[in-house]
Amino acid sequence: MTSSAFAYVGNSNSFKFHTEGCRFERKIRNDHRVYFKTKKEALHAGYVPCKVCRP
C-alpha cells in the first residue's frame, strides 16, 4: 500500500490522524499506521484530528 494515494495517516494506538509530513505522523510505527483517503473516512472510523497539524 503506497501512502501517496492517501491524504491522512492514523495511529491505531492513539486513534489520532495526521496529514503526511506532520512531526507526529513521522513517529508512527509501521504496525500502527492506518491510511485514510478523506477526513470524513477517518472521523467515521473513530479517529480524532491531530492538534498540531489540524487536518
Side-chain angles (χ1 to χ4, degrees):
M1 167 180 328
T2 61
S3 63
S4 61
F6 300 94
Y8 304 102
V9 182
N11 183 328
S12 64
N13 195 38
S14 68
F15 284 93
K16 292 183 182 175
F17 69 96
H18 312 268
T19 56
E20 283 193 290
C22 171
R23 68 180 187 218
F24 292 110
E25 176 269 330
R26 293 187 300 243
K27 294 180 179 183
I28 302 171
R29 290 180 13 190
N30 285 338
D31 59 334
H32 288 271
R33 287 179 170 267
V34 180
Y35 296 98
F36 300 103
K37 291 183 180 181
T38 65
K39 183 176 181 176
K40 185 177 180 180
E41 183 182 359
L43 293 170
H44 188 271
Y47 285 74
V48 296
C50 170
K51 291 183 180 179
V52 174
C53 64
R54 299 177 189 246

